[in-house]
Amino acid sequence: MDRRQFLLSSVGALVSAVTAKTGLDWRGKRLSAQETRIEEMVRGPSITLRSLADKVGIDIGAGGINTVPFYKDPDYKKIIAREFTSLTPGNAMKFGVIHPRNNYGDERDYNFEHADAMLEFAEASKMKVRGHTLVWHMQNPRWLDQGNFDRRELIQVMEDHIRTIVSRYKDRVFAWDVVNEPLTINHESIPIFQGIGPEYIPLAFRFAHEADPSALLFYNETQAHNLDEKSNMVYEQVCNLLDEGVTIHGVGMQMHVSLRYPPNLVQVAKNMRRLGNLGLKVHVTEMDVKTETIDSSTEDKLEKQAKIYGDITKVCLDEEVCTSIATWGVTDRYSWLKEFTKNPEEKPLLFDADYRAKPSYYAVKRKIAERVVKI
Ligand code: 9MR
């Protein structure tokens, strides 16, 4: 953003705040009472995203929460607690982190420290927690990857793992990503898949349900939000699980998208609806929008990004089946995408690197505020 654009956008924010007070927009046009209320909600400095989300009964989650800033950067926690209704740890509950050893065959093999710290923080901040994730093909400990377990042993390992974690956080984690990216896996690299076969999925759901019958259990998949071959496969798999009588409550649409490949809103809505027709819920679990995939000015990229965030918020509000939207990170400063894309300029989230609210933040707020005035 150059100086002129920065000034214009600062003036824009100021004018919006004034607008709400005077009932006039920046051109002097009179706003309706409803528009004024929306402006007040969007720009009112004391009105947070979470306070609006609570009004419409949607969960707005801070996902991908990382331990380093969590412990070291007080502003990180402040913004999470202020703006979001739920928290998803980024790595603290992954197999390799939470279950790093296999020496004792009991809880001494686990490291609950970081997951516990995040849960305690979330509870103190009156936030819910999504558990992420019980079975994935990545971030597994070496003892599991290289353990040469036979099928019976692997079922035992998976069962112990799931029962230990889910029962420890019983009634505290409201939803679990039981299996993560099961259609994305490189079958060579997931010992649990190799050793157990595709039945690892219904088994994982069964162990999780038995350990906490009140937790919502999700099948979390990436790049399966539009209607295409992959989302059809997700649909088919969850139909099969339901037919087999497996307890599954929902599908997680990760929603890692970009300005170059924005989600197709009509397809996302239809996809959500067909899952809803099966009696399932949909959570948008890991949303972020890569900016550095098109050539344009920063201001234009941020506006385009805001449109995508706003659009997905609206789709989720419109489709009853969608009850949660979580972003994967909160500030551009710590997004996993900076490292992954090797581009320090990436700005995929709702808050910039200095914790200033971005157009995307206001776009999400605006869609929720529009819904509030309709209630
Ligand atoms: O946010 C996570 C990041 O810190 C890790 O380095 C990365 C390892 O692959 O996993 C990230 O989170 C992933 C999530 O668990 C599942 N969906 C894709 C996310 C981004 O890779």
Side-chain angles (χ1 to χ4, degrees):
M1 199 183 291
D2 66 24
R3 203 177 117 76
R4 193 177 146 269
Q5 287 167 340
F6 176 74
L7 281 174
L8 276 177
S9 79
S10 315
V11 169
L14 192 69
V15 168
S16 289
V18 173
T19 307
K21 279 220 167 86
T22 59
L24 299 176
D25 81 0
W26 63 281
R27 293 185 198 86
K29 181 186 147 239
R30 185 154 295 282
L31 295 172
S32 68
Q34 217 177 44
E35 286 165 340
T36 307
R37 257 195 88 202
I38 293 172
E39 279 310 319
E40 277 167 0
M41 283 189 262
V42 175
R43 297 286 172 176
S46 60
I47 300 184
T48 61
L49 195 51
R50 78 179 279 184
S51 67
L52 291 181
D54 280 340
K55 283 198 199 332
V56 297
I58 194 178
D59 172 34
I60 297 285
I65 298 309
N66 280 331
T67 40
V68 174
F70 181 80
Y71 293 124
K72 297 226 162 107
D73 179 351
D75 290 337
Y76 188 64
K77 290 214 279 204
K78 241 186 248 164
I79 210 149
I80 295 170
R82 194 184 76 208
E83 297 288 344
F84 297 89
T85 61
S86 80
L87 180 155
T88 314
N91 298 302
M93 289 176 162
K94 285 178 181 163
F95 210 128
V97 177
I98 205 165
H99 193 168
R101 293 172 293 274
N102 191 35
N103 305 337
Y104 304 99
D106 59 31
E107 291 211 351
R108 283 170 294 175
D109 290 335
Y110 290 78
N111 176 5
F112 298 117
E113 184 191 345
H114 307 305
D116 282 358
M118 287 194 188
L119 245 112
E120 279 156 26
F121 164 73
E123 286 167 350
S125 314
K126 302 200 169 27
M127 301 170 78
K128 298 194 280 188
V129 174
R130 288 193 97 262
H132 176 85
T133 173
L134 297 171
V135 185
W136 191 27
H137 61 282
M138 287 177 75
Q139 292 179 276
N140 288 314
R142 190 179 304 183
W143 68 261
L144 176 60
D145 275 336
Q146 296 175 7
N148 289 320
F149 297 102
D150 67 22
R151 185 169 190 275
R152 197 188 48 80
E153 288 167 332
L154 270 171
I155 293 178
Q156 192 60 54
V157 163
M158 187 175 80
E159 176 167 3
D160 288 346
H161 177 79
I162 293 178
R163 284 192 197 281
T164 304
I165 295 168
V166 176
S167 59
R168 179 180 182 89
Y169 298 124
K170 187 171 179 312
D171 300 325
R172 297 175 72 193
V173 165
F174 86 105
W176 278 101
D177 291 331
V178 177
V179 289
N180 190 39
E181 303 170 5
L183 293 175
T184 314
I185 62 177
N186 163 5
H187 286 174
E188 254 79 276
S189 71
I190 178 169
I192 284 182
F193 178 87
Q194 283 175 315
I196 303 177
E199 314 85 89
Y200 85 92
I201 295 180
L203 281 173
F205 275 92
R206 197 184 94 208
F207 299 144
H209 182 58
E210 284 171 7
D212 185 356
S214 63
L216 300 177
L217 304 182
F218 278 73
Y219 178 119
N220 195 42
E221 188 53 88
T222 187
Q223 304 306 338
H225 45 272
N226 292 334
L227 288 177
D228 54 22
E229 207 183 320
K230 191 166 183 191
S231 64
N232 288 344
M233 280 167 75
V234 170
Y235 181 76
E236 215 175 284
Q237 277 217 351
V238 295
C239 283
N240 291 341
L241 291 172
L242 289 166
D243 285 348
E244 286 167 36
V246 173
T247 303
I248 167 172
H249 302 98
V251 169
M253 288 186 186
Q254 293 190 2
M255 205 70 74
H256 294 290
V257 294
S258 67
L259 296 186
R260 180 175 289 276
Y261 298 109
N264 178 320
L265 302 177
V266 173
Q267 293 187 12
V268 169
K270 280 194 183 153
N271 195 12
M272 285 181 174
R273 223 170 298 151
R274 71 174 168 175
L275 293 165
N277 289 339
L278 298 175
L280 297 173
K281 291 180 196 305
V282 171
H283 286 179
V284 174
T285 50
E286 306 184 15
M287 185 162 180
D288 44 28
V289 182
K290 285 195 285 260
T291 48
E292 303 312 298
T293 53
I294 61 164
D295 257 343
S296 193
S297 67
T298 299
E299 195 192 18
D300 181 57
K301 287 181 199 169
L302 296 184
E303 287 305 327
K304 289 196 163 84
Q305 180 187 54
K307 169 108 177 55
I308 295 174
Y309 270 111
D311 285 344
I312 287 296
T313 306
K314 180 163 184 321
V315 169
C316 186
L317 289 166
D318 285 347
E319 301 303 325
E320 218 184 324
V321 51
C322 180
T323 51
S324 173
I325 306 177
T327 55
W328 205 241
V330 296
T331 155
D332 291 340
R333 178 182 291 239
Y334 304 121
S335 167
W336 70 285
L337 283 166
K338 286 196 167 187
E339 209 176 304
F340 186 74
T341 63
K342 301 197 172 36
N343 189 344
E345 292 306 315
E346 246 327 321
K347 302 171 191 65
L349 295 162
L350 303 184
F351 294 90
D352 76 10
D354 296 315
Y355 291 104
R356 283 180 302 229
K358 291 166 58 183
S360 291
Y361 166 82
Y362 292 111
V364 174
K365 250 181 141 184
R366 181 172 297 279
K367 292 300 171 193
I368 303 178
E370 286 171 2
R371 194 51 50 108
V372 172
V373 300
K374 275 198 192 148
I375 287 172

